[in-house]
Amino acid sequence: MGNSLMNYLNSRLKEAKTHEYGNMSEAGPVITISREVGCNGLVLARLIAERLNKKHAKDSWSVLSKEIFYESARELDLDPEMVRRTFKKTDRYVFEEILKAFREKRYKSEETIIKTVKEVVRTLAIDGHCIIVGRASHIIASDIKNALHIRLTAPLGYRINTIMTNNKLNRNEAIAFIEKVEKERAAFRKTLRESSLREEFFDLTINRGSFTNEQAVNLVEFAVEEKGILHKFSHKMAFH
């Protein structure tokens, strides 16, 4: 990840930690995107950010996903891969891995890693003007008033074709990839003590197989306006 984005994350987190939010009505605005594998969630997130940034040049909306792990790793002084593995594993560490972890001078407990990742997600969501893709952000930021929580779905055939194209895989490989990543995401939620997606937290569900990218962005823009997550920030940004 580029130094410019890391510097951005560092500055945003420092600024957010200096603010006192008496209630969540002052937090945000933030958009979270949860998606099935193969829905091109990051692609749509970047298009949404581009649309929002065109509306007002002063405020810069950013897209965050794996960057969460990089920032968490920086705060923990750990290798980002170690942070990712904490959430990706579908089974517990084998005995040899536990011994290796304890021999590591910078060892951090799983509980500490989990707590830090959740804090990073929440701090960025509270600071606002970001689109967080995945990372159970719709659950972690569920009490933020100025938020729009989106769920992306698509027929299996659409998702298989997307993975085949994006990852240059054959059909069987794409199916295996989808199953693997879905298991990892379920493990992530389980690590956060969440056994389900908590569908009731979503404001808008979009079938990616039914709408083009532009149409999907239009739907999100409409939802942002109708839910009014930018009304408190109208002096900064307004839809016309």
Side-chain angles (χ1 to χ4, degrees), residues 190-216:
K190 186 176 180 180
T191 302
L192 293 177
R193 313 295 188 264
E194 296 289 344
S195 58
S196 68
L197 279 171
R198 304 293 293 273
E199 300 280 356
E200 69 272 19
F201 289 162
F202 297 122
D203 301 305
L204 176 68
T205 299
I206 300 176
N207 184 339
R208 293 287 274 138
S210 299
F211 301 97
T212 64
N213 284 339
E214 184 175 2
Q215 290 170 336

PDB file of all heavy atoms in Angstrom, residues 190-216:
ATOM      1  N   LYS A 190     -17.148 -14.822  12.826  1.00  0.00           N
ATOM      2  CA  LYS A 190     -17.108 -15.644  14.035  1.00  0.00           C
ATOM      3  C   LYS A 190     -16.050 -15.127  14.999  1.00  0.00           C
ATOM      4  O   LYS A 190     -16.259 -15.098  16.214  1.00  0.00           O
ATOM      5  CB  LYS A 190     -16.825 -17.098  13.663  1.00  0.00           C
ATOM      6  CG  LYS A 190     -16.909 -18.060  14.837  1.00  0.00           C
ATOM      7  CD  LYS A 190     -16.709 -19.494  14.382  1.00  0.00           C
ATOM      8  CE  LYS A 190     -16.792 -20.455  15.572  1.00  0.00           C
ATOM      9  NZ  LYS A 190     -16.594 -21.867  15.148  1.00  0.00           N
ATOM     10  N   THR A 191     -14.918 -14.693  14.446  1.00  0.00           N
ATOM     11  CA  THR A 191     -13.848 -14.141  15.274  1.00  0.00           C
ATOM     12  C   THR A 191     -14.320 -12.896  16.004  1.00  0.00           C
ATOM     13  O   THR A 191     -13.922 -12.629  17.138  1.00  0.00           O
ATOM     14  CB  THR A 191     -12.611 -13.806  14.410  1.00  0.00           C
ATOM     15  OG1 THR A 191     -12.180 -14.983  13.734  1.00  0.00           O
ATOM     16  CG2 THR A 191     -11.472 -13.279  15.256  1.00  0.00           C
ATOM     17  N   LEU A 192     -15.193 -12.117  15.340  1.00  0.00           N
ATOM     18  CA  LEU A 192     -15.746 -10.912  15.950  1.00  0.00           C
ATOM     19  C   LEU A 192     -16.958 -11.211  16.830  1.00  0.00           C
ATOM     20  O   LEU A 192     -17.671 -10.303  17.257  1.00  0.00           O
ATOM     21  CB  LEU A 192     -16.156  -9.913  14.856  1.00  0.00           C
ATOM     22  CG  LEU A 192     -15.019  -9.309  14.036  1.00  0.00           C
ATOM     23  CD1 LEU A 192     -15.574  -8.408  12.953  1.00  0.00           C
ATOM     24  CD2 LEU A 192     -14.041  -8.553  14.910  1.00  0.00           C
ATOM     25  N   ARG A 193     -17.191 -12.504  17.069  1.00  0.00           N
ATOM     26  CA  ARG A 193     -18.309 -12.966  17.904  1.00  0.00           C
ATOM     27  C   ARG A 193     -19.656 -12.702  17.236  1.00  0.00           C
ATOM     28  O   ARG A 193     -20.675 -12.499  17.912  1.00  0.00           O
ATOM     29  CB  ARG A 193     -18.296 -12.299  19.288  1.00  0.00           C
ATOM     30  CG  ARG A 193     -16.957 -12.288  19.998  1.00  0.00           C
ATOM     31  CD  ARG A 193     -16.465 -13.673  20.365  1.00  0.00           C
ATOM     32  NE  ARG A 193     -15.271 -13.615  21.205  1.00  0.00           N
ATOM     33  CZ  ARG A 193     -14.029 -13.705  20.740  1.00  0.00           C
ATOM     34  NH1 ARG A 193     -13.809 -13.835  19.439  1.00  0.00           N
ATOM     35  NH2 ARG A 193     -12.990 -13.666  21.571  1.00  0.00           N
ATOM     36  N   GLU A 194     -19.663 -12.683  15.915  1.00  0.00           N
ATOM     37  CA  GLU A 194     -20.904 -12.524  15.160  1.00  0.00           C
ATOM     38  C   GLU A 194     -21.102 -13.765  14.310  1.00  0.00           C
ATOM     39  O   GLU A 194     -20.294 -14.078  13.438  1.00  0.00           O
ATOM     40  CB  GLU A 194     -20.854 -11.280  14.265  1.00  0.00           C
ATOM     41  CG  GLU A 194     -20.753  -9.968  15.001  1.00  0.00           C
ATOM     42  CD  GLU A 194     -22.039  -9.611  15.732  1.00  0.00           C
ATOM     43  OE1 GLU A 194     -23.084 -10.213  15.418  1.00  0.00           O
ATOM     44  OE2 GLU A 194     -21.988  -8.739  16.614  1.00  0.00           O
ATOM     45  N   SER A 195     -22.180 -14.488  14.541  1.00  0.00           N
ATOM     46  CA  SER A 195     -22.400 -15.745  13.819  1.00  0.00           C
ATOM     47  C   SER A 195     -23.144 -15.555  12.509  1.00  0.00           C
ATOM     48  O   SER A 195     -23.177 -16.451  11.668  1.00  0.00           O
ATOM     49  CB  SER A 195     -23.182 -16.733  14.698  1.00  0.00           C
ATOM     50  OG  SER A 195     -24.424 -16.174  15.086  1.00  0.00           O
ATOM     51  N   SER A 196     -23.744 -14.372  12.314  1.00  0.00           N
ATOM     52  CA  SER A 196     -24.507 -14.134  11.096  1.00  0.00           C
ATOM     53  C   SER A 196     -24.181 -12.760  10.528  1.00  0.00           C
ATOM     54  O   SER A 196     -23.486 -11.954  11.152  1.00  0.00           O
ATOM     55  CB  SER A 196     -26.010 -14.228  11.379  1.00  0.00           C
ATOM     56  OG  SER A 196     -26.418 -13.157  12.204  1.00  0.00           O
ATOM     57  N   LEU A 197     -24.727 -12.480   9.345  1.00  0.00           N
ATOM     58  CA  LEU A 197     -24.474 -11.203   8.681  1.00  0.00           C
ATOM     59  C   LEU A 197     -25.211 -10.048   9.338  1.00  0.00           C
ATOM     60  O   LEU A 197     -24.891  -8.896   9.115  1.00  0.00           O
ATOM     61  CB  LEU A 197     -24.914 -11.282   7.209  1.00  0.00           C
ATOM     62  CG  LEU A 197     -23.951 -11.930   6.231  1.00  0.00           C
ATOM     63  CD1 LEU A 197     -24.639 -12.122   4.895  1.00  0.00           C
ATOM     64  CD2 LEU A 197     -22.704 -11.081   6.063  1.00  0.00           C
ATOM     65  N   ARG A 198     -26.234 -10.368  10.145  1.00  0.00           N
ATOM     66  CA  ARG A 198     -27.110  -9.349  10.745  1.00  0.00           C
ATOM     67  C   ARG A 198     -27.777  -8.543   9.630  1.00  0.00           C
ATOM     68  O   ARG A 198     -27.598  -7.331   9.498  1.00  0.00           O
ATOM     69  CB  ARG A 198     -26.322  -8.440  11.689  1.00  0.00           C
ATOM     70  CG  ARG A 198     -25.579  -9.160  12.802  1.00  0.00           C
ATOM     71  CD  ARG A 198     -26.518  -9.797  13.798  1.00  0.00           C
ATOM     72  NE  ARG A 198     -27.281  -8.843  14.555  1.00  0.00           N
ATOM     73  CZ  ARG A 198     -26.842  -8.285  15.692  1.00  0.00           C
ATOM     74  NH1 ARG A 198     -25.647  -8.609  16.175  1.00  0.00           N
ATOM     75  NH2 ARG A 198     -27.589  -7.420  16.342  1.00  0.00           N
ATOM     76  N   GLU A 199     -28.567  -9.240   8.832  1.00  0.00           N
ATOM     77  CA  GLU A 199     -29.224  -8.646   7.668  1.00  0.00           C
ATOM     78  C   GLU A 199     -30.043  -7.410   8.031  1.00  0.00           C
ATOM     79  O   GLU A 199     -30.229  -6.509   7.204  1.00  0.00           O
ATOM     80  CB  GLU A 199     -30.145  -9.681   7.006  1.00  0.00           C
ATOM     81  CG  GLU A 199     -29.451 -10.946   6.508  1.00  0.00           C
ATOM     82  CD  GLU A 199     -28.773 -10.754   5.172  1.00  0.00           C
ATOM     83  OE1 GLU A 199     -28.903  -9.662   4.586  1.00  0.00           O
ATOM     84  OE2 GLU A 199     -28.110 -11.706   4.712  1.00  0.00           O
ATOM     85  N   GLU A 200     -30.551  -7.360   9.269  1.00  0.00           N
ATOM     86  CA  GLU A 200     -31.409  -6.235   9.660  1.00  0.00           C
ATOM     87  C   GLU A 200     -30.653  -4.912   9.693  1.00  0.00           C
ATOM     88  O   GLU A 200     -31.270  -3.837   9.737  1.00  0.00           O
ATOM     89  CB  GLU A 200     -32.041  -6.500  11.031  1.00  0.00           C
ATOM     90  CG  GLU A 200     -31.086  -6.495  12.211  1.00  0.00           C
ATOM     91  CD  GLU A 200     -30.455  -7.860  12.488  1.00  0.00           C
ATOM     92  OE1 GLU A 200     -30.467  -8.721  11.583  1.00  0.00           O
ATOM     93  OE2 GLU A 200     -29.934  -8.062  13.606  1.00  0.00           O
ATOM     94  N   PHE A 201     -29.321  -4.953   9.652  1.00  0.00           N
ATOM     95  CA  PHE A 201     -28.542  -3.725   9.675  1.00  0.00           C
ATOM     96  C   PHE A 201     -28.410  -3.068   8.299  1.00  0.00           C
ATOM     97  O   PHE A 201     -28.005  -1.915   8.199  1.00  0.00           O
ATOM     98  CB  PHE A 201     -27.136  -3.985  10.233  1.00  0.00           C
ATOM     99  CG  PHE A 201     -27.105  -4.263  11.713  1.00  0.00           C
ATOM    100  CD1 PHE A 201     -26.010  -4.876  12.290  1.00  0.00           C
ATOM    101  CD2 PHE A 201     -28.159  -3.908  12.534  1.00  0.00           C
ATOM    102  CE1 PHE A 201     -25.960  -5.141  13.656  1.00  0.00           C
ATOM    103  CE2 PHE A 201     -28.134  -4.153  13.897  1.00  0.00           C
ATOM    104  CZ  PHE A 201     -27.031  -4.773  14.456  1.00  0.00           C
ATOM    105  N   PHE A 202     -28.737  -3.796   7.227  1.00  0.00           N
ATOM    106  CA  PHE A 202     -28.569  -3.249   5.884  1.00  0.00           C
ATOM    107  C   PHE A 202     -29.708  -2.306   5.522  1.00  0.00           C
ATOM    108  O   PHE A 202     -30.880  -2.590   5.771  1.00  0.00           O
ATOM    109  CB  PHE A 202     -28.473  -4.367   4.844  1.00  0.00           C
ATOM    110  CG  PHE A 202     -27.275  -5.253   5.018  1.00  0.00           C
ATOM    111  CD1 PHE A 202     -27.430  -6.623   5.211  1.00  0.00           C
ATOM    112  CD2 PHE A 202     -25.994  -4.729   5.005  1.00  0.00           C
ATOM    113  CE1 PHE A 202     -26.341  -7.444   5.386  1.00  0.00           C
ATOM    114  CE2 PHE A 202     -24.887  -5.545   5.182  1.00  0.00           C
ATOM    115  CZ  PHE A 202     -25.061  -6.910   5.377  1.00  0.00           C
ATOM    116  N   ASP A 203     -29.348  -1.164   4.932  1.00  0.00           N
ATOM    117  CA  ASP A 203     -30.334  -0.200   4.458  1.00  0.00           C
ATOM    118  C   ASP A 203     -30.761  -0.491   3.032  1.00  0.00           C
ATOM    119  O   ASP A 203     -31.897  -0.195   2.646  1.00  0.00           O
ATOM    120  CB  ASP A 203     -29.749   1.222   4.505  1.00  0.00           C
ATOM    121  CG  ASP A 203     -29.314   1.626   5.890  1.00  0.00           C
ATOM    122  OD1 ASP A 203     -30.148   1.561   6.805  1.00  0.00           O
ATOM    123  OD2 ASP A 203     -28.140   1.996   6.061  1.00  0.00           O
ATOM    124  N   LEU A 204     -29.851  -1.036   2.254  1.00  0.00           N
ATOM    125  CA  LEU A 204     -30.095  -1.225   0.828  1.00  0.00           C
ATOM    126  C   LEU A 204     -29.389  -2.483   0.338  1.00  0.00           C
ATOM    127  O   LEU A 204     -28.213  -2.680   0.617  1.00  0.00           O
ATOM    128  CB  LEU A 204     -29.550  -0.002   0.052  1.00  0.00           C
ATOM    129  CG  LEU A 204     -29.629  -0.033  -1.467  1.00  0.00           C
ATOM    130  CD1 LEU A 204     -31.085   0.027  -1.934  1.00  0.00           C
ATOM    131  CD2 LEU A 204     -28.835   1.128  -2.063  1.00  0.00           C
ATOM    132  N   THR A 205     -30.125  -3.343  -0.359  1.00  0.00           N
ATOM    133  CA  THR A 205     -29.542  -4.529  -0.978  1.00  0.00           C
ATOM    134  C   THR A 205     -29.662  -4.393  -2.491  1.00  0.00           C
ATOM    135  O   THR A 205     -30.751  -4.104  -3.007  1.00  0.00           O
ATOM    136  CB  THR A 205     -30.259  -5.818  -0.518  1.00  0.00           C
ATOM    137  OG1 THR A 205     -30.113  -5.956   0.893  1.00  0.00           O
ATOM    138  CG2 THR A 205     -29.659  -7.042  -1.190  1.00  0.00           C
ATOM    139  N   ILE A 206     -28.543  -4.575  -3.182  1.00  0.00           N
ATOM    140  CA  ILE A 206     -28.518  -4.417  -4.641  1.00  0.00           C
ATOM    141  C   ILE A 206     -28.103  -5.723  -5.292  1.00  0.00           C
ATOM    142  O   ILE A 206     -27.076  -6.306  -4.933  1.00  0.00           O
ATOM    143  CB  ILE A 206     -27.527  -3.300  -5.054  1.00  0.00           C
ATOM    144  CG1 ILE A 206     -27.941  -1.963  -4.430  1.00  0.00           C
ATOM    145  CG2 ILE A 206     -27.463  -3.185  -6.579  1.00  0.00           C
ATOM    146  CD1 ILE A 206     -26.958  -0.839  -4.704  1.00  0.00           C
ATOM    147  N   ASN A 207     -28.898  -6.166  -6.232  1.00  0.00           N
ATOM    148  CA  ASN A 207     -28.561  -7.338  -7.036  1.00  0.00           C
ATOM    149  C   ASN A 207     -27.662  -6.875  -8.176  1.00  0.00           C
ATOM    150  O   ASN A 207     -28.122  -6.202  -9.106  1.00  0.00           O
ATOM    151  CB  ASN A 207     -29.825  -7.991  -7.579  1.00  0.00           C
ATOM    152  CG  ASN A 207     -29.548  -9.278  -8.343  1.00  0.00           C
ATOM    153  OD1 ASN A 207     -28.427  -9.517  -8.811  1.00  0.00           O
ATOM    154  ND2 ASN A 207     -30.559 -10.110  -8.484  1.00  0.00           N
ATOM    155  N   ARG A 208     -26.388  -7.229  -8.107  1.00  0.00           N
ATOM    156  CA  ARG A 208     -25.426  -6.763  -9.109  1.00  0.00           C
ATOM    157  C   ARG A 208     -25.718  -7.323 -10.490  1.00  0.00           C
ATOM    158  O   ARG A 208     -25.271  -6.775 -11.507  1.00  0.00           O
ATOM    159  CB  ARG A 208     -24.008  -7.144  -8.688  1.00  0.00           C
ATOM    160  CG  ARG A 208     -23.533  -6.414  -7.459  1.00  0.00           C
ATOM    161  CD  ARG A 208     -23.220  -4.960  -7.738  1.00  0.00           C
ATOM    162  NE  ARG A 208     -21.864  -4.789  -8.213  1.00  0.00           N
ATOM    163  CZ  ARG A 208     -21.497  -3.989  -9.210  1.00  0.00           C
ATOM    164  NH1 ARG A 208     -22.398  -3.316  -9.878  1.00  0.00           N
ATOM    165  NH2 ARG A 208     -20.236  -3.874  -9.551  1.00  0.00           N
ATOM    166  N   GLY A 209     -26.476  -8.415 -10.545  1.00  0.00           N
ATOM    167  CA  GLY A 209     -26.828  -8.985 -11.837  1.00  0.00           C
ATOM    168  C   GLY A 209     -27.947  -8.242 -12.537  1.00  0.00           C
ATOM    169  O   GLY A 209     -28.204  -8.462 -13.725  1.00  0.00           O
ATOM    170  N   SER A 210     -28.607  -7.342 -11.805  1.00  0.00           N
ATOM    171  CA  SER A 210     -29.763  -6.629 -12.357  1.00  0.00           C
ATOM    172  C   SER A 210     -29.460  -5.203 -12.790  1.00  0.00           C
ATOM    173  O   SER A 210     -30.266  -4.588 -13.493  1.00  0.00           O
ATOM    174  CB  SER A 210     -30.905  -6.599 -11.330  1.00  0.00           C
ATOM    175  OG  SER A 210     -31.335  -7.901 -11.008  1.00  0.00           O
ATOM    176  N   PHE A 211     -28.332  -4.666 -12.330  1.00  0.00           N
ATOM    177  CA  PHE A 211     -28.019  -3.270 -12.615  1.00  0.00           C
ATOM    178  C   PHE A 211     -26.580  -3.107 -13.096  1.00  0.00           C
ATOM    179  O   PHE A 211     -25.682  -3.796 -12.616  1.00  0.00           O
ATOM    180  CB  PHE A 211     -28.208  -2.414 -11.353  1.00  0.00           C
ATOM    181  CG  PHE A 211     -29.603  -2.452 -10.784  1.00  0.00           C
ATOM    182  CD1 PHE A 211     -29.911  -3.311  -9.740  1.00  0.00           C
ATOM    183  CD2 PHE A 211     -30.600  -1.642 -11.309  1.00  0.00           C
ATOM    184  CE1 PHE A 211     -31.192  -3.369  -9.218  1.00  0.00           C
ATOM    185  CE2 PHE A 211     -31.890  -1.686 -10.789  1.00  0.00           C
ATOM    186  CZ  PHE A 211     -32.182  -2.551  -9.740  1.00  0.00           C
ATOM    187  N   THR A 212     -26.379  -2.179 -14.020  1.00  0.00           N
ATOM    188  CA  THR A 212     -25.029  -1.842 -14.460  1.00  0.00           C
ATOM    189  C   THR A 212     -24.324  -1.103 -13.329  1.00  0.00           C
ATOM    190  O   THR A 212     -24.957  -0.688 -12.341  1.00  0.00           O
ATOM    191  CB  THR A 212     -25.049  -0.939 -15.700  1.00  0.00           C
ATOM    192  OG1 THR A 212     -25.659   0.324 -15.344  1.00  0.00           O
ATOM    193  CG2 THR A 212     -25.841  -1.587 -16.841  1.00  0.00           C
ATOM    194  N   ASN A 213     -23.021  -0.889 -13.471  1.00  0.00           N
ATOM    195  CA  ASN A 213     -22.279  -0.124 -12.467  1.00  0.00           C
ATOM    196  C   ASN A 213     -22.872   1.263 -12.270  1.00  0.00           C
ATOM    197  O   ASN A 213     -23.076   1.719 -11.141  1.00  0.00           O
ATOM    198  CB  ASN A 213     -20.805   0.001 -12.869  1.00  0.00           C
ATOM    199  CG  ASN A 213     -20.022  -1.274 -12.635  1.00  0.00           C
ATOM    200  OD1 ASN A 213     -20.410  -2.124 -11.845  1.00  0.00           O
ATOM    201  ND2 ASN A 213     -18.907  -1.413 -13.336  1.00  0.00           N
ATOM    202  N   GLU A 214     -23.165   1.935 -13.369  1.00  0.00           N
ATOM    203  CA  GLU A 214     -23.702   3.296 -13.277  1.00  0.00           C
ATOM    204  C   GLU A 214     -25.064   3.305 -12.598  1.00  0.00           C
ATOM    205  O   GLU A 214     -25.344   4.180 -11.765  1.00  0.00           O
ATOM    206  CB  GLU A 214     -23.815   3.924 -14.669  1.00  0.00           C
ATOM    207  CG  GLU A 214     -24.284   5.373 -14.632  1.00  0.00           C
ATOM    208  CD  GLU A 214     -24.295   6.034 -15.989  1.00  0.00           C
ATOM    209  OE1 GLU A 214     -23.974   5.364 -16.990  1.00  0.00           O
ATOM    210  OE2 GLU A 214     -24.633   7.237 -16.056  1.00  0.00           O
ATOM    211  N   GLN A 215     -25.915   2.330 -12.942  1.00  0.00           N
ATOM    212  CA  GLN A 215     -27.225   2.256 -12.319  1.00  0.00           C
ATOM    213  C   GLN A 215     -27.101   1.987 -10.818  1.00  0.00           C
ATOM    214  O   GLN A 215     -27.846   2.557 -10.021  1.00  0.00           O
ATOM    215  CB  GLN A 215     -28.059   1.166 -12.983  1.00  0.00           C
ATOM    216  CG  GLN A 215     -28.497   1.501 -14.399  1.00  0.00           C
ATOM    217  CD  GLN A 215     -29.103   0.307 -15.113  1.00  0.00           C
ATOM    218  OE1 GLN A 215     -28.833  -0.848 -14.787  1.00  0.00           O
ATOM    219  NE2 GLN A 215     -29.944   0.580 -16.106  1.00  0.00           N
ATOM    220  N   ALA A 216     -26.171   1.115 -10.445  1.00  0.00           N
ATOM    221  CA  ALA A 216     -25.959   0.811  -9.026  1.00  0.00           C
ATOM    222  C   ALA A 216     -25.480   2.048  -8.281  1.00  0.00           C
ATOM    223  O   ALA A 216     -25.934   2.314  -7.150  1.00  0.00           O
ATOM    224  CB  ALA A 216     -24.955  -0.328  -8.878  1.00  0.00           C
TER     225      ALA A 216
END
